[in-house]
Structure formats: structure tokens, C-alpha cells
Amino acid sequence: MTEYLATSYYCLYKTDKNSQELQHQSKKEPKEKDALWAEFQWTEDKLNEVKETLSNNELQSSIHSNHHSGRGQYMIDKLEKEAHLNWDRFYTSHQTNFFKDRHYLHKTFPDEFGCVYGNVAEEVGSKVDGDIDNTHGGKKIGAVTVEEMNNVEPFTIVEIGCGVGNTVLPLLELDPIMSVNDKNGEPDKRKICVWGLDFSKVAVDLLRKDERYIQAEGSGRAFSGVWDITKSHPTEIHSSLHKCSNVSLLLFCLSAVSPEKMPNAAKHVAATIKPGGTLVLRDYGRLDEAQLKLSSSRGKMLSENFYVKHDSTRVYYFDLNDLEKLFGKEGAGLECIEKKYIQRVYKNRSDNSERRRVWVQARFRKPI
């Protein structure tokens, strides 16, 4: 295999002299100093090879094949029953140190978050709620006073599966007032309000201890709660959650839910969105390298495309049809705006290894 590397391009990545597998611009993978990545498309041969590998691993990876009669189902039921405990243990162990903050929403979802990031302060945090003092009415937030902000209509963002706030907290660092155009095309102001909801009480408690959250909560812009989306309608968490969001977020959250419980979860998530609002989703995709690795381990597959990881949390690998069935007109009743695979090959220059990552990304709108 030959690799050609230009100053800004990771190109002509070949499997032989006559076949070009991919040729795309490269960027640095932000989490891995020595890794380069490029978009890729499966060749027919490579796709068939990966599918065959997954199929061949099915017997050894099945939890039923690695336990005596009935023991496999017992383990599946136990993992389901203790799912919240396993996520609590995860966050108790890792605290706020496992995931990095997400500052890319305006790039990944510009239609939904471009306006939200449009009023970023010159220095992050310089115009946020730390400047607010409700006892001093003349304080300014962006271009409005505190009293005026209290009368500004909210622009509500709801993140389901917020963890310790790696998306919520960067949003709260932005200027709390954003500019939008009203129905007549005239400029108007909105107050950015953010809900953070998670299955793990430990994660939500850690979010609530962050100073950025505390300041925003004090000005009525930050809210949080513990929510099992497979069981409860959002009104059972708080009455204001029903049809409140301009944008709801599901980022690497739904994959932790048992497949048979996903339809209810999808309907409950959709219930947070106001008519005309949008759901944005990103999660793990079918044939991701992590799925292939799990499939090569004994007893990790709980059901088709659904696995248990070493820390007893679980993960499902989606294809695009799964998302349409869950959230489309025959599922949660939303209209699909976009759905696609994100496929990247990562090359680590330090050891010459490579990984193929696959994610799914989608946007759905609630009909007006």
C-alpha cells in the first residue's frame, strides 16, 4: 500500500497501482496529535470484506453462545436493569475528564446553530452571566439590560444525553443574547436558554456544580434534570419541556438504549420539540471499526448490532434506515431534512496504524 502526503492533502491513498480508494483533503484529528484523517467511501470489495468479517464473528461474539442455557438472557436482563448504575459508575470514575467540550455545532449544523454562535463575545465568557447582577439594573448583557433580557423571548436548546455538559457548557459561554430575523425579516433578539438532560444522576450533579452552569441558572437560562427517555414523557420531568425547544440534540446518546426501547425513546425526544423546531442527531454508524473490534471479542454481542462494552455500558450501531424508522413519519412523526454517513479513515503517523470510523448524522423537523 502506497501513501502520498502533501502539505495540506492526505491524498492518493491506494490499495494497488490501479485503484484509488480515496482522495480527500486531510485535517488533524483534534483528539490525537499524530493522526490525520480523510473522508472515505467503501469500495465494493472492502465493504464485502468487512461485512463478511462481522458475519464470521457473530457466533463467538454472541452472548448466548458464550453462556450456558438461559445465562445469556439473564446477563442481558441484568445489564438492562442496571443500566443507570453502570452510567453512574462511569461518571463517578471519570468525573468531567473523559469527553472534551464540543465547540463545533455551528460548523456541523450551521442552519440550527449559525445564529447561536453569531454573537460570540471577543473573549469567551466576557459577556456571559458572570457579568449579571440582578441588584444592579443598569448592567448590560450584549446590547440589552438585565431587565430587558428578562422580557426577551427564549431560544431554547434541549440536549438529551448531556453527560457532564460538554455541549451545554460551551453554549452557555456564548453571548446570552442572539439576533434572529422575525417573520417580517426584521432583526429581533432571543435569549439563549439551555436544558441538559441525562440518564445518569451523577452526570447531572457534576453539570450542576460547574460555575458556568450555576451562573446561567441564576439568570434563568440553564436547566437540568435526570431523564430516562425510554420510560417518561418530558412533562414528567418538567411541564415546560413539552414542545419547548427550537433545537433538540441527540449526540451519541440513543446508541446506549436497548433497540426494543428506541421507538418510545424517539417519541419522547420528539415531544420536546416545538412545531417547526429541529432535532439534530449524531451517533455511531454500522461497520464502524469499534463495532468490528467488539465483534471479535467473546460474548459482547447482546443482539444484532448491539453490544456491551468493557465498562458494562452498551452501544448500538445504526444505519440510516434505523433513523428514518425511529423519527420519520412512521415513527415519531418528524420530517427528515438530512441523513448521511460520516466516514473517515484515521492515519496515525507515529505507528503507521489506521482506523475507519463511521457515524450517522441526521436532522429532522417537527411539522408546523
Side-chain angles (χ1 to χ4, degrees):
M1 182 168 62
T2 304
E3 174 192 354
Y4 300 90
L5 188 63
T7 303
S8 60
Y9 285 82
Y10 179 45
C11 58
L12 300 177
Y13 200 67
K14 297 184 177 182
T15 53
D16 56 55
K17 293 181 180 180
N18 299 316
S19 66
Q20 177 178 305
E21 184 173 333
L22 59 89
Q23 179 179 1
H24 280 288
Q25 187 170 357
S26 165
K27 300 178 182 178
K28 288 232 178 172
E29 158 67 353
K31 293 184 181 179
E32 299 184 30
K33 183 178 179 181
D34 295 323
L36 295 170
W37 65 262
E39 305 289 344
F40 80 91
Q41 297 295 325
W42 294 108
T43 63
E44 184 176 355
D45 288 346
K46 186 64 177 178
L47 182 60
N48 289 335
E49 177 189 329
V50 171
K51 287 182 176 179
E52 184 177 358
T53 298
L54 202 62
S55 177
N56 291 340
N57 289 344
E58 193 168 301
L59 184 61
Q60 74 165 7
S61 65
S62 172
I63 194 169
H64 296 288
S65 302
N66 285 272
H67 292 280
H68 296 299
S69 179
R71 178 69 178 176
Q73 188 59 49
Y74 168 79
M75 295 298 295
I76 291 171
D77 294 342
K78 187 173 187 288
L79 287 166
E80 178 65 31
K81 183 178 180 180
E82 298 180 356
H84 66 291
L85 297 176
N86 291 325
W87 279 109
D88 281 347
R89 292 187 189 106
F90 176 90
Y91 286 110
T92 298
S93 173
H94 295 289
Q95 296 289 295
T96 60
N97 302 315
F98 193 82
F99 301 109
K100 292 189 176 182
D101 283 355
R102 299 183 177 109
H103 295 278
Y104 56 75
L105 294 181
H106 59 305
K107 298 176 181 178
T108 306
F109 304 107
D111 290 346
E112 288 74 29
F113 287 96
C115 57
V116 176
Y117 281 74
N119 293 333
V120 180
E122 291 183 6
E123 295 183 14
V124 173
S126 65
K127 290 186 180 179
V128 296
D129 301 275
D131 295 330
I132 298 174
D133 181 349
N134 287 320
T135 63
H136 295 83
K139 284 277 186 179
K140 289 281 186 175
I141 304 169
V144 298
T145 64
V146 172
E147 287 84 359
E148 289 172 329
M149 188 178 79
N150 290 335
N151 295 321
V152 171
E153 184 179 339
F155 182 93
T156 303
I157 300 166
V158 174
E159 186 183 15
I160 300 100
C162 68
V164 296
N166 297 103
T167 301
V168 168
L169 295 172
L171 289 170
L172 295 175
E173 290 179 338
L174 303 176
D175 191 321
I177 299 298
M178 57 180 278
S179 296
V180 297
N181 292 327
D182 62 19
K183 295 179 180 179
N184 299 318
E186 297 295 325
D188 201 358
K189 297 183 183 298
R190 294 288 185 271
K191 176 176 66 175
I192 299 173
C193 296
V194 185
W195 271 92
L197 301 160
D198 200 89
F199 187 37
S200 168
K201 183 180 184 300
V202 173
V204 174
D205 285 345
L206 288 167
L207 168 64
R208 289 170 174 169
K209 292 176 182 178
D210 191 281
E211 189 61 31
R212 291 166 290 179
Y213 177 86
I214 293 170
Q215 292 174 352
E217 183 185 37
S219 63
R221 298 198 310 111
F223 313 89
S224 59
V226 178
W227 187 19
D228 182 348
I229 57 174
T230 68
K231 295 180 179 179
S232 305
H233 190 273
T235 53
E236 297 179 47
I237 307 304
H238 198 282
S239 59
S240 66
L241 268 174
H242 188 226
K243 297 182 179 179
C244 74
S245 76
N246 296 85
V247 183
S248 286
L249 285 159
L250 271 178
L251 302 177
F252 300 99
C253 166
L254 194 62
S255 52
V257 173
S258 295
E260 63 270 18
K261 293 189 174 183
M262 286 183 186
N264 271 345
K267 291 173 183 176
H268 292 154
V269 167
T272 65
I273 308 167
K274 64 173 58 177
T278 308
L279 169 69
V280 299
L281 179 152
R282 182 181 277 192
D283 220 317
Y284 300 105
R286 193 73 45 83
L287 305 182
D288 179 50
E289 184 136 332
Q291 180 181 11
L292 298 178
K293 185 175 181 179
L294 284 170
S295 77
S296 67
S297 302
R298 290 189 176 278
K300 293 293 186 181
M301 189 176 75
L302 307 178
S303 61
E304 189 174 9
N305 302 306
F306 190 47
Y307 300 82
V308 59
K309 296 189 283 186
H310 70 281
D311 58 7
S312 296
T313 62
R314 301 166 301 170
V315 58
Y316 182 84
Y317 294 89
F318 293 94
D319 68 15
L320 298 182
N321 289 332
D322 292 329
L323 303 183
E324 183 66 40
K325 289 177 183 178
L326 288 169
F327 293 102
K329 293 181 180 180
E330 302 302 318
L334 306 180
E335 299 171 347
C336 184
I337 307 170
E338 172 195 39
K339 57 180 180 179
K340 65 181 182 180
Y341 291 106
I342 299 172
Q343 300 179 153
R344 294 175 182 171
V345 59
Y346 288 84
K347 177 81 170 183
N348 192 309
R349 292 180 296 183
S350 63
D351 60 7
N352 207 37
S353 62
E354 62 181 56
R355 298 175 299 123
R356 294 176 185 270
R357 301 308 310 270
V358 181
W359 298 286
V360 289
Q361 180 169 302
R363 297 157 58 227
F364 293 88
R365 180 179 292 121
K366 177 170 280 191
I368 297 176

